[in-house]
PDB file of all heavy atoms in Angstrom:
ATOM      1  N   GLU A 151     -77.113  40.213 106.993  1.00 87.00           N
ATOM      2  CA  GLU A 151     -77.604  40.106 105.608  1.00 87.00           C
ATOM      3  C   GLU A 151     -76.695  39.210 104.764  1.00 87.00           C
ATOM      4  O   GLU A 151     -77.181  38.382 103.991  1.00 87.00           O
ATOM      5  CB  GLU A 151     -77.700  41.498 104.988  1.00 87.00           C
ATOM      6  CG  GLU A 151     -78.846  42.345 105.561  1.00 87.00           C
ATOM      7  CD  GLU A 151     -78.869  43.735 104.965  1.00 87.00           C
ATOM      8  OE1 GLU A 151     -77.954  44.025 104.126  1.00 87.00           O
ATOM      9  OE2 GLU A 151     -79.755  44.533 105.315  1.00 87.00           O
ATOM     10  N   ARG A 153     -74.377  37.056 105.887  1.00 81.00           N
ATOM     11  CA  ARG A 153     -74.000  35.798 106.523  1.00 81.00           C
ATOM     12  C   ARG A 153     -74.820  34.663 105.934  1.00 81.00           C
ATOM     13  O   ARG A 153     -76.040  34.790 105.779  1.00 81.00           O
ATOM     14  CB  ARG A 153     -74.203  35.881 108.026  1.00 81.00           C
ATOM     15  CG  ARG A 153     -73.942  34.557 108.758  1.00 81.00           C
ATOM     16  CD  ARG A 153     -74.124  34.724 110.251  1.00 81.00           C
ATOM     17  NE  ARG A 153     -73.048  35.548 110.827  1.00 81.00           N
ATOM     18  CZ  ARG A 153     -73.026  35.928 112.101  1.00 81.00           C
ATOM     19  NH1 ARG A 153     -74.024  35.601 112.903  1.00 81.00           N
ATOM     20  NH2 ARG A 153     -72.020  36.639 112.562  1.00 81.00           N
ATOM     21  N   LEU A 166     -60.612  33.117 117.630  1.00 82.00           N
ATOM     22  CA  LEU A 166     -60.080  32.750 118.943  1.00 82.00           C
ATOM     23  C   LEU A 166     -59.181  33.865 119.451  1.00 82.00           C
ATOM     24  O   LEU A 166     -58.775  34.774 118.711  1.00 82.00           O
ATOM     25  CB  LEU A 166     -59.268  31.444 118.864  1.00 82.00           C
ATOM     26  CG  LEU A 166     -60.055  30.145 118.583  1.00 82.00           C
ATOM     27  CD1 LEU A 166     -59.086  29.000 118.352  1.00 82.00           C
ATOM     28  CD2 LEU A 166     -60.982  29.833 119.741  1.00 82.00           C
ATOM     29  N   ALA A 173     -44.346  30.158 128.697  1.00 57.00           N
ATOM     30  CA  ALA A 173     -43.481  30.662 129.776  1.00 57.00           C
ATOM     31  C   ALA A 173     -44.291  31.037 131.000  1.00 57.00           C
ATOM     32  O   ALA A 173     -43.949  30.706 132.130  1.00 57.00           O
ATOM     33  CB  ALA A 173     -42.676  31.877 129.275  1.00 57.00           C
ATOM     34  N   GLU A 186     -47.743  50.282 120.123  1.00 82.00           N
ATOM     35  CA  GLU A 186     -46.601  50.948 119.497  1.00 82.00           C
ATOM     36  C   GLU A 186     -45.342  50.073 119.513  1.00 82.00           C
ATOM     37  O   GLU A 186     -44.374  50.382 118.816  1.00 82.00           O
ATOM     38  CB  GLU A 186     -46.314  52.270 120.220  1.00 82.00           C
ATOM     39  CG  GLU A 186     -47.466  53.262 120.191  1.00 82.00           C
ATOM     40  CD  GLU A 186     -47.810  53.694 118.773  1.00 82.00           C
ATOM     41  OE1 GLU A 186     -46.898  53.655 117.917  1.00 82.00           O
ATOM     42  OE2 GLU A 186     -48.972  54.060 118.521  1.00 82.00           O
ATOM     43  N   ARG A 197     -49.273  34.500 118.141  1.00 89.00           N
ATOM     44  CA  ARG A 197     -49.960  33.657 119.139  1.00 89.00           C
ATOM     45  C   ARG A 197     -51.400  33.390 118.717  1.00 89.00           C
ATOM     46  O   ARG A 197     -51.922  32.281 118.886  1.00 89.00           O
ATOM     47  CB  ARG A 197     -49.932  34.344 120.500  1.00 89.00           C
ATOM     48  CG  ARG A 197     -48.540  34.492 121.112  1.00 89.00           C
ATOM     49  CD  ARG A 197     -47.959  33.162 121.490  1.00 89.00           C
ATOM     50  NE  ARG A 197     -46.684  33.314 122.168  1.00 89.00           N
ATOM     51  CZ  ARG A 197     -45.888  32.296 122.460  1.00 89.00           C
ATOM     52  NH1 ARG A 197     -46.235  31.067 122.119  1.00 89.00           N
ATOM     53  NH2 ARG A 197     -44.732  32.502 123.075  1.00 89.00           N
ATOM     54  N   ASP A 222     -46.816  16.246  94.153  1.00 80.00           N
ATOM     55  CA  ASP A 222     -46.889  16.787  92.793  1.00 80.00           C
ATOM     56  C   ASP A 222     -47.675  18.092  92.749  1.00 80.00           C
ATOM     57  O   ASP A 222     -48.292  18.427  91.732  1.00 80.00           O
ATOM     58  CB  ASP A 222     -47.511  15.757  91.854  1.00 80.00           C
ATOM     59  CG  ASP A 222     -48.891  15.329  92.324  1.00 80.00           C
ATOM     60  OD1 ASP A 222     -49.251  15.674  93.478  1.00 80.00           O
ATOM     61  OD2 ASP A 222     -49.603  14.658  91.549  1.00 80.00           O
ATOM     62  N   PHE A 224     -48.459  21.835  92.215  1.00 78.00           N
ATOM     63  CA  PHE A 224     -47.917  22.863  91.339  1.00 78.00           C
ATOM     64  C   PHE A 224     -48.779  24.110  91.470  1.00 78.00           C
ATOM     65  O   PHE A 224     -50.002  24.044  91.406  1.00 78.00           O
ATOM     66  CB  PHE A 224     -47.901  22.399  89.875  1.00 78.00           C
ATOM     67  CG  PHE A 224     -47.453  23.462  88.905  1.00 78.00           C
ATOM     68  CD1 PHE A 224     -46.105  23.768  88.775  1.00 78.00           C
ATOM     69  CD2 PHE A 224     -48.380  24.152  88.145  1.00 78.00           C
ATOM     70  CE1 PHE A 224     -45.690  24.744  87.897  1.00 78.00           C
ATOM     71  CE2 PHE A 224     -47.963  25.130  87.259  1.00 78.00           C
ATOM     72  CZ  PHE A 224     -46.618  25.429  87.131  1.00 78.00           C
ATOM     73  N   LYS A 229     -45.709  36.419  90.084  1.00 81.00           N
ATOM     74  CA  LYS A 229     -45.062  37.230  89.052  1.00 81.00           C
ATOM     75  C   LYS A 229     -44.553  36.326  87.944  1.00 81.00           C
ATOM     76  O   LYS A 229     -44.201  35.163  88.175  1.00 81.00           O
ATOM     77  CB  LYS A 229     -43.914  38.041  89.642  1.00 81.00           C
ATOM     78  CG  LYS A 229     -44.362  39.090  90.655  1.00 81.00           C
ATOM     79  CD  LYS A 229     -43.186  39.918  91.141  1.00 81.00           C
ATOM     80  CE  LYS A 229     -43.656  40.972  92.134  1.00 81.00           C
ATOM     81  NZ  LYS A 229     -42.535  41.801  92.615  1.00 81.00           N
ATOM     82  N   ARG A 261      -3.228  52.162  97.835  1.00 85.00           N
ATOM     83  CA  ARG A 261      -2.376  53.188  97.241  1.00 85.00           C
ATOM     84  C   ARG A 261      -1.932  54.198  98.296  1.00 85.00           C
ATOM     85  O   ARG A 261      -0.780  54.641  98.313  1.00 85.00           O
ATOM     86  CB  ARG A 261      -3.137  53.894  96.119  1.00 85.00           C
ATOM     87  CG  ARG A 261      -3.324  53.036  94.873  1.00 85.00           C
ATOM     88  CD  ARG A 261      -4.196  53.741  93.863  1.00 85.00           C
ATOM     89  NE  ARG A 261      -4.438  52.912  92.689  1.00 85.00           N
ATOM     90  CZ  ARG A 261      -5.297  53.227  91.717  1.00 85.00           C
ATOM     91  NH1 ARG A 261      -5.986  54.366  91.792  1.00 85.00           N
ATOM     92  NH2 ARG A 261      -5.459  52.434  90.685  1.00 85.00           N
ATOM     93  N   TYR A 289      35.889  63.246 107.286  1.00 75.00           N
ATOM     94  CA  TYR A 289      37.090  62.453 107.037  1.00 75.00           C
ATOM     95  C   TYR A 289      38.043  63.167 106.085  1.00 75.00           C
ATOM     96  O   TYR A 289      39.262  63.146 106.256  1.00 75.00           O
ATOM     97  CB  TYR A 289      36.689  61.092 106.477  1.00 75.00           C
ATOM     98  CG  TYR A 289      37.860  60.199 106.169  1.00 75.00           C
ATOM     99  CD1 TYR A 289      38.537  59.526 107.190  1.00 75.00           C
ATOM    100  CD2 TYR A 289      38.305  60.036 104.856  1.00 75.00           C
ATOM    101  CE1 TYR A 289      39.627  58.719 106.916  1.00 75.00           C
ATOM    102  CE2 TYR A 289      39.399  59.227 104.581  1.00 75.00           C
ATOM    103  CZ  TYR A 289      40.052  58.570 105.611  1.00 75.00           C
ATOM    104  OH  TYR A 289      41.133  57.773 105.332  1.00 75.00           O
ATOM    105  N   VAL A 361      50.292  42.761  53.981  1.00 73.00           N
ATOM    106  CA  VAL A 361      49.614  44.049  53.969  1.00 73.00           C
ATOM    107  C   VAL A 361      50.569  45.159  53.557  1.00 73.00           C
ATOM    108  O   VAL A 361      50.210  46.083  52.822  1.00 73.00           O
ATOM    109  CB  VAL A 361      49.012  44.345  55.360  1.00 73.00           C
ATOM    110  CG1 VAL A 361      48.347  45.703  55.397  1.00 73.00           C
ATOM    111  CG2 VAL A 361      48.023  43.259  55.736  1.00 73.00           C
ATOM    112  N   GLY A 383      53.961  56.067  54.902  1.00 73.00           N
ATOM    113  CA  GLY A 383      54.060  57.070  55.949  1.00 73.00           C
ATOM    114  C   GLY A 383      55.400  57.056  56.648  1.00 73.00           C
ATOM    115  O   GLY A 383      56.297  56.252  56.342  1.00 73.00           O
TER     116      GLY A 383
END
Side-chain angles (χ1 to χ4, degrees):
E151 289 178 358
R153 175 178 290 175
L166 291 172
E186 300 298 333
R197 294 292 185 189
D222 57 349
F224 175 78
K229 295 183 179 180
R261 288 174 183 172
Y289 179 78
V361 178

